[in-house]
Amino acid sequence: MTAPATTGTAVGADAPAPALNALYVYGIAPAGVRTPRSPGVDGAPVRLLTESGLCAAVSEAPPRLRPRRRDLLAHQTVLDELAAQGPVLPMRFAVLSPRSDTLLAQLRSDAAHLAEQLDGVRGCVELNVKGTVVPGHFADLVRRDDKLRSLALRTRRRPDYEANVRLGEAIALGVRREARRTAREVVDELAPLAVRTVRGATDDEQVLNVSFLLRSADEARFREAVAARARACGDRLALAVTGPLPCYSFVDPHPATPAGR
């Protein structure tokens, strides 16, 4: 996700210095919100640029951007102050705009789209649920799976290195398969509680990674549902909830490009 009229990100020790007068962009909110009082990235004061019923929270870009903990926290704190007042379209860390007039022009040209995006997250929060495979439940899996049980018995009767490797691989595959099935069941149960969902990257260990857009009033009920599922599947899948977060996963600051352009 990029900010309107951004030059991209500049993160890391070897990142190029931002252009002179470049702005660091935190997020976009409806016009009329109070300016965040917390200092921004690199301790810079935050100000609001207002145009067409919208405002962008910005500060002067530091000479060099690095994902230092204090700056990551400063970025998050500014967004938290904005979110406490209403909907906000959050930018991720290290999003820049070259000049204030460029950013204002982008707010003006994309005003309808950005207002629609703000309406879409009004009164909402984002929670992310991750599920990690619990490897220790393989003994129960072997008891319930006829093929694995037969393989385990053959390996016990005629043990050798290759047989042990085959059994270990079969068990690991079975554990992941069952964990992924459980993850689908978790999402099927939680999704009706959310306005929208977005799936994130997974791997063989972390088989569940889904962000949920929730009405703020539904957050407690959602957490209760996650806790209930965690108790029910804790032998197969360890669930963790992160949030509430700014709605990073559910906003797109840029309007879709018209067909033919």
Side-chain angles (χ1 to χ4, degrees), residues 156-187:
R156 185 181 305 168
R157 290 168 185 159
R158 306 181 67 175
D160 61 44
Y161 174 78
E162 291 187 359
N164 286 330
V165 169
R166 285 196 299 272
L167 177 60
E169 291 175 344
I171 289 175
L173 180 61
V175 167
R176 289 195 296 270
R177 185 185 300 116
E178 187 157 307
R180 290 187 182 279
R181 181 170 63 248
T182 301
R184 290 193 295 270
E185 293 171 354
V186 170
V187 175

Side-chain angles (χ1 to χ4, degrees), residues 19-201:
L20 187 64
N21 300 324
L23 297 177
Y24 184 102
V25 186
Y26 299 87
I28 298 168
V33 299
R34 297 183 304 278
T35 302
R37 299 179 64 180
S38 299
V41 169
D42 203 38
V46 177
R47 67 182 192 273
L48 301 178
L49 298 178
T50 302
E51 175 63 51
S52 302
L54 303 166
C55 65
V58 302
S59 64
E60 297 302 320
R64 190 170 294 276
L65 275 167
R66 297 182 181 88
R68 297 177 297 188
R69 184 174 184 273
R70 67 183 184 187
D71 286 336
L72 293 169
L73 289 175
H75 179 97
Q76 183 64 42
T77 300
V78 170
L79 287 174
D80 287 344
E81 286 197 38
L82 291 172
Q85 303 179 60
V88 58
L89 307 184
M91 300 296 116
R92 297 193 183 274
F93 182 82
V95 169
L96 304 177
S97 183
R99 299 187 312 275
S100 59
D101 58 344
T102 306
L103 182 53
L104 288 169
Q106 196 74 42
L107 290 178
R108 186 163 53 250
S109 64
D110 293 347
H113 174 75
L114 294 170
E116 181 182 5
Q117 294 282 300
L118 285 165
D119 285 341
V121 298
R122 189 179 301 276
C124 294
V125 294
E126 176 176 335
L127 272 77
N128 177 265
V129 178
K130 289 183 171 60
T132 305
V133 174
V134 176
H137 82 283
F138 66 84
D140 182 61
L141 178 62
V142 170
R143 285 194 296 270
R144 290 184 286 104
D145 189 301
D146 291 339
K147 291 183 178 179
L148 282 179
R149 188 167 59 252
S150 297
L151 181 58
L153 288 173
R154 289 198 303 271
T155 303
R156 185 181 305 168
R157 290 168 185 159
R158 306 181 67 175
D160 61 44
Y161 174 78
E162 291 187 359
N164 286 330
V165 169
R166 285 196 299 272
L167 177 60
E169 291 175 344
I171 289 175
L173 180 61
V175 167
R176 289 195 296 270
R177 185 185 300 116
E178 187 157 307
R180 290 187 182 279
R181 181 170 63 248
T182 301
R184 290 193 295 270
E185 293 171 354
V186 170
V187 175
D188 288 345
E189 182 164 332
L190 297 179
L193 303 176
V195 179
R196 293 166 56 196
T197 62
V198 170
R199 297 178 184 270

